[in-house]
Amino acid sequence: LFKDDIISFEDMGNLSLDRSTVEEQVSKEGITVFSMPSYCSSGRYIENDRIYLYYYPAANPKYNILLLHGLFDDNMVNYIYFIRQLNNLNVNVFFMILPYHFERKPHHSSFSGEYFFSADIYRTCNAIVQTMYDIEVSYMFIKSFDPLETVLTGFSMGGCMAYKYFVLKGQTVKTFLFNPVTELSTLVLDNPLLTTIG
């Protein structure tokens, strides 16, 4: 039984950011991390219901990038070289953690991203909706924190989510994709990583 009336993007354009809910911490690696409540609750996974933005500032920034990582990623080191190159090009980078990944991974989940894209179709749909809301709120935060122009960038599944957001926003958001997933059904049926889902 699918209750598709719950899965909706209708309220996304009416969100407002309450800055008092934003928390700022410094990771053990010395990276500033902003966190705020997700406006689209997953319902039963409280670990997943906060947005995390890792902030990598440039010395003389010209614009910002909101970067979305790939499916099942669990190590930010994979992106550090790319982020440093962007910093050297005078770009601030805000690295957004996708639902069910990294510190958003529920305790019962076996690995990062397991609950983001799985055979639980309803939970997967909800994760995609949550991602759209999280991008929207992240944009609002970045605009209030640093008014420079922000470009949305995504890698792999992050690219797929960035593209979906680009379409939802009427193609008005500057977006750049790296190796994006373009067809989720092909990914499930043809990729050996996802044979259990297929």
Side-chain angles (χ1 to χ4, degrees), residues 81-126:
Y81 177 76
F82 176 54
I83 290 170
R84 293 297 179 219
Q85 294 300 311
L86 290 169
N87 287 160
N88 291 338
L89 293 170
N90 300 318
V91 179
N92 291 329
V93 178
F94 293 84
F95 185 93
M96 189 189 99
I97 303 299
L98 291 175
Y100 300 111
H101 288 77
F102 293 93
E103 56 263 68
R104 298 181 75 169
K105 180 181 83 68
H107 294 300
H108 298 294
S109 177
S110 300
F111 55 88
S112 179
E114 177 189 15
Y115 289 2
F116 182 89
F117 198 69
S118 70
D120 185 330
I121 298 172
Y122 180 79
R123 186 177 62 200
T124 297
C125 290
N126 196 70

Short mmCIF file of all heavy atoms in Angstrom, two decimals, residues 81-126:
data_model
loop_
_atom_site.label_atom_id
_atom_site.label_comp_id
_atom_site.label_asym_id
_atom_site.label_seq_id
_atom_site.Cartn_x
_atom_site.Cartn_y
_atom_site.Cartn_z
N TYR A 81 40.62 16.28 -2.17
CA TYR A 81 41.48 16.83 -3.25
C TYR A 81 40.65 17.76 -4.13
O TYR A 81 41.08 18.88 -4.45
CB TYR A 81 42.10 15.71 -4.08
CG TYR A 81 42.93 16.22 -5.24
CD1 TYR A 81 44.20 16.76 -5.03
CD2 TYR A 81 42.42 16.20 -6.53
CE1 TYR A 81 44.95 17.24 -6.08
CE2 TYR A 81 43.17 16.69 -7.60
CZ TYR A 81 44.43 17.20 -7.37
OH TYR A 81 45.17 17.69 -8.42
N PHE A 82 39.47 17.31 -4.54
CA PHE A 82 38.58 18.11 -5.38
C PHE A 82 38.20 19.41 -4.67
O PHE A 82 38.23 20.50 -5.26
CB PHE A 82 37.35 17.30 -5.73
CG PHE A 82 36.31 18.03 -6.52
CD1 PHE A 82 36.63 18.66 -7.71
CD2 PHE A 82 34.99 18.08 -6.08
CE1 PHE A 82 35.67 19.34 -8.43
CE2 PHE A 82 34.03 18.75 -6.80
CZ PHE A 82 34.37 19.39 -7.99
N ILE A 83 37.85 19.31 -3.39
CA ILE A 83 37.46 20.50 -2.62
C ILE A 83 38.62 21.48 -2.53
O ILE A 83 38.44 22.69 -2.70
CB ILE A 83 36.96 20.09 -1.22
CG1 ILE A 83 35.60 19.37 -1.34
CG2 ILE A 83 36.85 21.29 -0.30
CD1 ILE A 83 35.12 18.70 -0.07
N ARG A 84 39.82 20.97 -2.28
CA ARG A 84 41.00 21.86 -2.18
C ARG A 84 41.27 22.56 -3.52
O ARG A 84 41.65 23.74 -3.54
CB ARG A 84 42.23 21.07 -1.74
CG ARG A 84 42.14 20.54 -0.32
CD ARG A 84 42.04 21.67 0.69
NE ARG A 84 41.93 21.15 2.05
CZ ARG A 84 41.16 21.66 2.99
NH1 ARG A 84 40.41 22.72 2.73
NH2 ARG A 84 41.13 21.15 4.19
N GLN A 85 41.08 21.85 -4.61
CA GLN A 85 41.25 22.48 -5.92
C GLN A 85 40.25 23.61 -6.11
O GLN A 85 40.58 24.68 -6.64
CB GLN A 85 41.10 21.44 -7.05
CG GLN A 85 42.19 20.38 -7.07
CD GLN A 85 43.56 20.99 -7.27
OE1 GLN A 85 43.78 21.80 -8.16
NE2 GLN A 85 44.51 20.61 -6.42
N LEU A 86 39.02 23.39 -5.69
CA LEU A 86 38.00 24.44 -5.79
C LEU A 86 38.35 25.62 -4.88
O LEU A 86 38.21 26.79 -5.29
CB LEU A 86 36.63 23.88 -5.41
CG LEU A 86 36.01 22.91 -6.41
CD1 LEU A 86 34.78 22.22 -5.82
CD2 LEU A 86 35.62 23.63 -7.71
N ASN A 87 38.84 25.34 -3.67
CA ASN A 87 39.28 26.42 -2.78
C ASN A 87 40.39 27.24 -3.42
O ASN A 87 40.40 28.47 -3.32
CB ASN A 87 39.76 25.86 -1.44
CG ASN A 87 38.66 25.35 -0.53
OD1 ASN A 87 38.90 24.57 0.37
ND2 ASN A 87 37.43 25.80 -0.74
N ASN A 88 41.33 26.56 -4.09
CA ASN A 88 42.43 27.26 -4.76
C ASN A 88 41.93 28.13 -5.91
O ASN A 88 42.60 29.09 -6.30
CB ASN A 88 43.47 26.26 -5.28
CG ASN A 88 44.24 25.59 -4.16
OD1 ASN A 88 44.31 26.11 -3.05
ND2 ASN A 88 44.80 24.42 -4.44
N LEU A 89 40.76 27.80 -6.44
CA LEU A 89 40.14 28.60 -7.52
C LEU A 89 39.17 29.65 -6.93
O LEU A 89 38.32 30.17 -7.64
CB LEU A 89 39.40 27.68 -8.49
CG LEU A 89 40.28 26.75 -9.32
CD1 LEU A 89 39.44 25.72 -10.05
CD2 LEU A 89 41.13 27.55 -10.30
N ASN A 90 39.31 29.91 -5.63
CA ASN A 90 38.51 30.92 -4.93
C ASN A 90 37.03 30.57 -4.86
O ASN A 90 36.17 31.42 -5.11
CB ASN A 90 38.71 32.31 -5.58
CG ASN A 90 40.16 32.75 -5.53
OD1 ASN A 90 40.82 32.57 -4.52
ND2 ASN A 90 40.64 33.30 -6.62
N VAL A 91 36.76 29.32 -4.52
CA VAL A 91 35.38 28.86 -4.39
C VAL A 91 35.19 28.29 -2.97
O VAL A 91 35.95 27.43 -2.54
CB VAL A 91 35.05 27.76 -5.43
CG1 VAL A 91 33.61 27.28 -5.26
CG2 VAL A 91 35.30 28.27 -6.84
N ASN A 92 34.18 28.79 -2.27
CA ASN A 92 33.77 28.19 -1.00
C ASN A 92 32.99 26.92 -1.31
O ASN A 92 32.17 26.90 -2.23
CB ASN A 92 32.83 29.12 -0.22
CG ASN A 92 33.52 30.34 0.31
OD1 ASN A 92 34.70 30.32 0.63
ND2 ASN A 92 32.77 31.44 0.40
N VAL A 93 33.23 25.86 -0.54
CA VAL A 93 32.51 24.60 -0.74
C VAL A 93 31.71 24.25 0.50
O VAL A 93 32.25 24.23 1.61
CB VAL A 93 33.48 23.44 -1.09
CG1 VAL A 93 32.70 22.14 -1.26
CG2 VAL A 93 34.27 23.76 -2.35
N PHE A 94 30.43 23.99 0.30
CA PHE A 94 29.55 23.47 1.35
C PHE A 94 29.19 22.04 0.94
O PHE A 94 28.53 21.82 -0.08
CB PHE A 94 28.28 24.31 1.46
CG PHE A 94 28.51 25.70 1.97
CD1 PHE A 94 28.89 26.71 1.10
CD2 PHE A 94 28.36 25.99 3.31
CE1 PHE A 94 29.11 28.00 1.56
CE2 PHE A 94 28.58 27.27 3.78
CZ PHE A 94 28.96 28.30 2.90
N PHE A 95 29.66 21.07 1.71
CA PHE A 95 29.50 19.65 1.40
C PHE A 95 28.29 19.14 2.19
O PHE A 95 28.34 19.03 3.41
CB PHE A 95 30.77 18.91 1.80
CG PHE A 95 30.82 17.46 1.45
CD1 PHE A 95 31.39 17.03 0.26
CD2 PHE A 95 30.32 16.50 2.32
CE1 PHE A 95 31.46 15.67 -0.05
CE2 PHE A 95 30.38 15.15 2.02
CZ PHE A 95 30.95 14.73 0.84
N MET A 96 27.18 18.84 1.50
CA MET A 96 25.96 18.41 2.17
C MET A 96 25.89 16.89 2.25
O MET A 96 26.09 16.20 1.25
CB MET A 96 24.71 18.91 1.43
CG MET A 96 23.42 18.67 2.20
SD MET A 96 21.94 19.02 1.24
CE MET A 96 21.49 17.35 0.73
N ILE A 97 25.61 16.38 3.45
CA ILE A 97 25.46 14.95 3.65
C ILE A 97 24.07 14.53 3.22
O ILE A 97 23.06 15.06 3.71
CB ILE A 97 25.68 14.59 5.14
CG1 ILE A 97 27.06 15.06 5.63
CG2 ILE A 97 25.49 13.09 5.36
CD1 ILE A 97 28.23 14.47 4.90
N LEU A 98 23.99 13.57 2.30
CA LEU A 98 22.70 13.06 1.84
C LEU A 98 22.03 12.26 2.97
O LEU A 98 22.71 11.73 3.86
CB LEU A 98 22.88 12.15 0.63
CG LEU A 98 23.32 12.81 -0.68
CD1 LEU A 98 23.57 11.74 -1.74
CD2 LEU A 98 22.30 13.81 -1.17
N PRO A 99 20.70 12.15 2.94
CA PRO A 99 20.01 11.33 3.95
C PRO A 99 20.60 9.92 4.05
O PRO A 99 21.03 9.34 3.04
CB PRO A 99 18.57 11.29 3.43
CG PRO A 99 18.41 12.59 2.70
CD PRO A 99 19.76 12.81 2.03
N TYR A 100 20.64 9.42 5.26
CA TYR A 100 21.07 8.05 5.59
C TYR A 100 22.55 7.78 5.35
O TYR A 100 22.97 6.63 5.35
CB TYR A 100 20.22 7.02 4.83
CG TYR A 100 18.76 7.09 5.14
CD1 TYR A 100 17.84 7.54 4.19
CD2 TYR A 100 18.27 6.73 6.39
CE1 TYR A 100 16.48 7.61 4.48
CE2 TYR A 100 16.92 6.81 6.69
CZ TYR A 100 16.04 7.24 5.73
OH TYR A 100 14.70 7.33 6.03
N HIS A 101 23.36 8.82 5.12
CA HIS A 101 24.79 8.66 4.91
C HIS A 101 25.58 9.29 6.07
O HIS A 101 25.08 10.13 6.79
CB HIS A 101 25.23 9.33 3.60
CG HIS A 101 24.80 8.61 2.37
ND1 HIS A 101 23.51 8.68 1.89
CD2 HIS A 101 25.48 7.81 1.51
CE1 HIS A 101 23.42 7.95 0.78
NE2 HIS A 101 24.59 7.42 0.53
N PHE A 102 26.85 8.87 6.19
CA PHE A 102 27.77 9.43 7.19
C PHE A 102 27.09 9.48 8.57
O PHE A 102 26.57 8.47 9.02
CB PHE A 102 28.28 10.81 6.75
CG PHE A 102 29.16 10.77 5.53
CD1 PHE A 102 28.63 10.95 4.25
CD2 PHE A 102 30.53 10.57 5.64
CE1 PHE A 102 29.44 10.92 3.13
CE2 PHE A 102 31.35 10.54 4.52
CZ PHE A 102 30.80 10.71 3.26
N GLU A 103 27.06 10.66 9.21
CA GLU A 103 26.47 10.73 10.55
C GLU A 103 24.95 10.66 10.55
O GLU A 103 24.32 10.57 11.61
CB GLU A 103 26.94 11.98 11.31
CG GLU A 103 26.70 13.29 10.60
CD GLU A 103 27.92 13.77 9.85
OE1 GLU A 103 28.30 13.13 8.86
OE2 GLU A 103 28.48 14.79 10.26
N ARG A 104 24.35 10.64 9.36
CA ARG A 104 22.89 10.48 9.26
C ARG A 104 22.50 9.00 9.16
O ARG A 104 21.32 8.67 9.08
CB ARG A 104 22.37 11.24 8.03
CG ARG A 104 22.61 12.73 8.12
CD ARG A 104 22.07 13.48 6.93
NE ARG A 104 20.61 13.59 7.00
CZ ARG A 104 19.89 14.36 6.20
NH1 ARG A 104 20.48 15.09 5.27
NH2 ARG A 104 18.58 14.41 6.33
N LYS A 105 23.46 8.11 9.17
CA LYS A 105 23.20 6.67 9.08
C LYS A 105 22.54 6.18 10.36
O LYS A 105 23.08 6.35 11.45
CB LYS A 105 24.50 5.92 8.84
CG LYS A 105 24.35 4.41 8.72
CD LYS A 105 25.68 3.73 8.50
CE LYS A 105 26.44 3.49 9.77
NZ LYS A 105 25.84 2.51 10.67
N PRO A 106 21.36 5.56 10.25
CA PRO A 106 20.71 5.01 11.46
C PRO A 106 21.55 3.91 12.11
O PRO A 106 22.32 3.21 11.44
CB PRO A 106 19.39 4.44 10.91
CG PRO A 106 19.15 5.20 9.66
CD PRO A 106 20.51 5.45 9.07
N HIS A 107 21.39 3.76 13.41
CA HIS A 107 22.19 2.77 14.15
C HIS A 107 21.98 1.35 13.63
O HIS A 107 22.91 0.53 13.65
CB HIS A 107 21.84 2.82 15.65
CG HIS A 107 22.24 4.09 16.31
ND1 HIS A 107 23.55 4.52 16.37
CD2 HIS A 107 21.51 5.04 16.95
CE1 HIS A 107 23.61 5.68 17.00
NE2 HIS A 107 22.39 6.02 17.36
N HIS A 108 20.78 1.03 13.17
CA HIS A 108 20.49 -0.33 12.70
C HIS A 108 20.95 -0.56 11.26
O HIS A 108 20.88 -1.69 10.78
CB HIS A 108 19.00 -0.61 12.82
CG HIS A 108 18.50 -0.57 14.23
ND1 HIS A 108 18.89 -1.47 15.19
CD2 HIS A 108 17.66 0.29 14.85
CE1 HIS A 108 18.32 -1.18 16.34
NE2 HIS A 108 17.56 -0.11 16.17
N SER A 109 21.39 0.49 10.60
CA SER A 109 21.83 0.37 9.21
C SER A 109 23.24 -0.23 9.18
O SER A 109 24.09 0.11 10.00
CB SER A 109 21.83 1.76 8.55
OG SER A 109 22.32 1.69 7.24
N SER A 110 23.48 -1.13 8.22
CA SER A 110 24.78 -1.81 8.15
C SER A 110 25.88 -0.95 7.55
O SER A 110 27.05 -1.12 7.89
CB SER A 110 24.65 -3.09 7.30
OG SER A 110 23.70 -3.95 7.87
N PHE A 111 25.52 -0.05 6.63
CA PHE A 111 26.54 0.78 5.99
C PHE A 111 25.92 2.10 5.55
O PHE A 111 24.70 2.24 5.44
CB PHE A 111 27.17 0.05 4.79
CG PHE A 111 26.18 -0.44 3.77
CD1 PHE A 111 25.77 0.36 2.72
CD2 PHE A 111 25.67 -1.74 3.86
CE1 PHE A 111 24.86 -0.11 1.77
CE2 PHE A 111 24.75 -2.21 2.92
CZ PHE A 111 24.35 -1.39 1.88
N SER A 112 26.77 3.05 5.28
CA SER A 112 26.35 4.40 4.90
C SER A 112 25.53 4.35 3.60
O SER A 112 25.97 3.81 2.60
CB SER A 112 27.58 5.29 4.69
OG SER A 112 27.21 6.58 4.29
N GLY A 113 24.32 4.89 3.65
CA GLY A 113 23.47 4.96 2.47
C GLY A 113 22.58 3.76 2.25
O GLY A 113 21.78 3.75 1.32
N GLU A 114 22.71 2.73 3.09
CA GLU A 114 21.90 1.52 2.90
C GLU A 114 20.40 1.85 2.83
O GLU A 114 19.67 1.28 2.01
CB GLU A 114 22.15 0.54 4.03
CG GLU A 114 21.30 -0.73 3.93
CD GLU A 114 21.38 -1.62 5.16
OE1 GLU A 114 21.85 -1.14 6.22
OE2 GLU A 114 20.95 -2.77 5.06
N TYR A 115 19.94 2.77 3.67
CA TYR A 115 18.51 3.09 3.73
C TYR A 115 18.11 4.18 2.73
O TYR A 115 16.94 4.48 2.60
CB TYR A 115 18.12 3.54 5.14
CG TYR A 115 18.12 2.44 6.18
CD1 TYR A 115 18.50 1.13 5.86
CD2 TYR A 115 17.75 2.72 7.48
CE1 TYR A 115 18.51 0.14 6.82
CE2 TYR A 115 17.74 1.72 8.44
CZ TYR A 115 18.13 0.44 8.12
OH TYR A 115 18.13 -0.55 9.07
N PHE A 116 19.10 4.78 2.06
CA PHE A 116 18.76 5.82 1.08
C PHE A 116 18.15 5.20 -0.18
O PHE A 116 17.15 5.68 -0.70
CB PHE A 116 20.02 6.62 0.70
CG PHE A 116 19.74 7.74 -0.27
CD1 PHE A 116 19.40 9.00 0.19
CD2 PHE A 116 19.85 7.55 -1.65
CE1 PHE A 116 19.15 10.05 -0.69
CE2 PHE A 116 19.59 8.57 -2.53
CZ PHE A 116 19.24 9.83 -2.05
N PHE A 117 18.78 4.16 -0.66
CA PHE A 117 18.34 3.53 -1.91
C PHE A 117 18.30 2.03 -1.68
O PHE A 117 19.33 1.38 -1.61
CB PHE A 117 19.29 3.90 -3.04
CG PHE A 117 18.72 3.68 -4.42
CD1 PHE A 117 17.69 4.49 -4.87
CD2 PHE A 117 19.19 2.68 -5.23
CE1 PHE A 117 17.16 4.30 -6.15
CE2 PHE A 117 18.67 2.49 -6.50
CZ PHE A 117 17.64 3.30 -6.96
N SER A 118 17.10 1.49 -1.51
CA SER A 118 16.98 0.08 -1.13
C SER A 118 15.71 -0.51 -1.73
O SER A 118 14.97 0.16 -2.45
CB SER A 118 16.95 -0.06 0.40
OG SER A 118 15.73 0.45 0.90
N ALA A 119 15.42 -1.75 -1.38
CA ALA A 119 14.21 -2.41 -1.86
C ALA A 119 12.96 -1.88 -1.15
O ALA A 119 11.84 -2.20 -1.55
CB ALA A 119 14.32 -3.92 -1.67
N ASP A 120 13.13 -1.10 -0.10
CA ASP A 120 12.01 -0.43 0.56
C ASP A 120 11.67 0.80 -0.28
O ASP A 120 12.25 1.88 -0.10
CB ASP A 120 12.40 -0.04 1.99
CG ASP A 120 11.24 0.56 2.78
OD1 ASP A 120 10.35 1.18 2.17
OD2 ASP A 120 11.24 0.41 4.01
N ILE A 121 10.74 0.63 -1.21
CA ILE A 121 10.47 1.68 -2.20
C ILE A 121 9.94 2.95 -1.54
O ILE A 121 10.31 4.05 -1.92
CB ILE A 121 9.50 1.15 -3.28
CG1 ILE A 121 10.15 -0.02 -4.01
CG2 ILE A 121 9.15 2.27 -4.27
CD1 ILE A 121 9.22 -0.74 -4.96
N TYR A 122 9.08 2.79 -0.56
CA TYR A 122 8.52 3.97 0.10
C TYR A 122 9.62 4.78 0.79
O TYR A 122 9.68 5.99 0.67
CB TYR A 122 7.43 3.59 1.11
CG TYR A 122 6.85 4.80 1.79
CD1 TYR A 122 5.90 5.58 1.14
CD2 TYR A 122 7.28 5.18 3.05
CE1 TYR A 122 5.39 6.72 1.74
CE2 TYR A 122 6.77 6.32 3.66
CZ TYR A 122 5.83 7.08 2.99
OH TYR A 122 5.32 8.20 3.59
N ARG A 123 10.50 4.08 1.51
CA ARG A 123 11.58 4.77 2.21
C ARG A 123 12.52 5.44 1.21
O ARG A 123 13.00 6.56 1.45
CB ARG A 123 12.35 3.78 3.09
CG ARG A 123 13.42 4.44 3.96
CD ARG A 123 14.09 3.43 4.88
NE ARG A 123 14.78 2.40 4.11
CZ ARG A 123 15.13 1.21 4.60
NH1 ARG A 123 14.82 0.90 5.85
NH2 ARG A 123 15.75 0.32 3.85
N THR A 124 12.78 4.79 0.09
CA THR A 124 13.61 5.37 -0.96
C THR A 124 12.97 6.64 -1.53
O THR A 124 13.64 7.66 -1.69
CB THR A 124 13.86 4.35 -2.09
OG1 THR A 124 14.60 3.24 -1.55
CG2 THR A 124 14.63 4.96 -3.24
N CYS A 125 11.68 6.58 -1.82
CA CYS A 125 10.97 7.77 -2.33
C CYS A 125 11.04 8.90 -1.31
O CYS A 125 11.28 10.06 -1.66
CB CYS A 125 9.52 7.43 -2.64
SG CYS A 125 9.31 6.38 -4.08
N ASN A 126 10.84 8.57 -0.05
CA ASN A 126 10.89 9.58 0.99
C ASN A 126 12.28 10.18 1.12
O ASN A 126 12.43 11.38 1.36
CB ASN A 126 10.44 8.99 2.33
CG ASN A 126 10.09 10.06 3.34
OD1 ASN A 126 9.08 10.75 3.20
ND2 ASN A 126 10.92 10.23 4.35
#
